[in-house]
Amino acid sequence: DGGITQSPKYLFRKEGQNVTLSCEQNLNHDAMYWYRQDPGQGLRLIYYSQIVNDFQKGDIAEGYSVSREKKESFPLTVTSAQKNPTAFYLCASSVGTEGEQYFGPGTRLTVT
Amino acid sequence: EDQVTQSPEALRLQEGESSSLNCSYTVSGLRGLFWYRQDPGKGPEFLFTLYSAGEEKEKERLKATLTKKESFLHITAPKPEDSATYLCASPPAGGSYIPTFGRGTSLIVHP
């Protein structure tokens, strides 16, 4: 089955540690996205990538980094510079940037 | 600035009590609208794309409609399993590559 996967489902880290969230898709989509979702805040875009080896900052990119070395993969690193990293992180992909997005199951990150 | 506003923020219904959710938008050069369903602790699930005013799409108890200024998600005779947050979003417009999401309507259907 085609789809988009995120791992792990739950992640716990100590403050000051970098952590990388995985996102893989086998939908052959060119565009991929990372969102952060906090209660009452809706979806906020962190980074997006229209094509391999290219990505752009979204609205809240500070303290995060990404790479897009393969079409299928778009990992997100939450660095120690992110002041409030505890959140639910969602990865999505779409055929192009104008089409509907397909989301992964999400990773809930807790930093203490 | 493109904006997508959903109302109400929360809606409680009795099983079988039909109602509608609203998504209004102020998007330049609108080229469609998306509806998603999100269950607690899960990623949003794509439901519909509406491309032009007057268009309607249905899936089970859900029917989405689109006018020039807003979209409605009609829920007919809802069941408890329809409880979820429903999100709408406009695709990128005006040179942007980023979709605009509303904050969602949290729907609870009581048995």
Side-chain angles (χ1 to χ4, degrees), chain A residues 36 45-47 57-65 77-84 89:
Chain A
R36 170 179 172 142
L45 183 67
I46 305 172
Y47 269 96
K57 294 180 179 180
D59 300 321
I60 56 165
E62 186 176 348
Y64 300 98
S65 65
T77 296
V78 184
T79 75
S80 56
Q82 168 51 231
K83 295 179 181 178
N84 187 19
Y89 290 88

Side-chain angles (χ1 to χ4, degrees), chain A residues 9 33 35 37 40-41 43 45 48 50 88 90 97-105 108, chain B residues 31 34 36 38 41-46 49 51 87 91-92 96-99 101-103:
Chain A
K9 186 173 176 66
Y33 310 79
Y35 291 92
Q37 190 173 41
Q41 294 263 18
L43 292 170
L45 183 67
Y48 69 101
Q50 295 175 256
F88 187 51
L90 287 161
T97 54
E98 295 185 6
E100 66 272 10
Q101 295 182 339
Y102 293 86
F103 286 82
R108 187 166 298 279
Chain B
R31 286 180 283 182
F34 307 123
Y36 298 85
Q38 184 175 23
K42 297 187 178 181
E45 173 191 353
F46 169 70
T49 300
Y51 290 103
L87 301 168
S96 168
Y97 297 103
I98 302 170
F101 277 87
R103 291 195 171 190

Side-chain angles (χ1 to χ4, degrees), chain A residues 3 12 14 17 38 43 46 58 67 74 94 96:
Chain A
F12 298 89
K14 293 291 186 183
Q17 293 179 334
D38 297 282
L43 292 170
I46 305 172
S67 63
F74 191 40
S94 60

Side-chain angles (χ1 to χ4, degrees), chain A residues 68-81:
Chain A
R68 186 85 187 276
E69 297 176 1
K70 298 188 299 181
K71 187 175 186 178
E72 302 80 15
S73 179
F74 191 40
L76 173 75
T77 296
V78 184
T79 75
S80 56

Side-chain angles (χ1 to χ4, degrees), chain B residues 27-42:
Chain B
V27 177
S28 56
L30 178 71
R31 286 180 283 182
L33 196 89
F34 307 123
W35 280 99
Y36 298 85
R37 168 191 170 129
Q38 184 175 23
D39 292 299
K42 297 187 178 181

Side-chain angles (χ1 to χ4, degrees), chain B residues 4-67:
Chain B
V4 175
T5 304
Q6 293 189 246
S7 62
E9 289 186 15
L11 181 62
R12 293 178 179 266
L13 299 173
Q14 288 298 126
E15 185 172 0
E17 179 187 3
S18 301
S19 188
S20 296
L21 314 182
N22 177 262
C23 174
S24 63
Y25 48 85
T26 55
V27 177
S28 56
L30 178 71
R31 286 180 283 182
L33 196 89
F34 307 123
W35 280 99
Y36 298 85
R37 168 191 170 129
Q38 184 175 23
D39 292 299
K42 297 187 178 181
E45 173 191 353
F46 169 70
L47 291 174
F48 306 111
T49 300
L50 300 166
Y51 290 103
S52 56
E55 188 174 2
E56 298 183 352
K57 288 194 176 174
E58 290 187 61
K59 181 179 181 180
E60 296 182 357
R61 293 174 293 281
L62 302 176
K63 183 169 79 172
T65 62
L66 184 67
T67 72

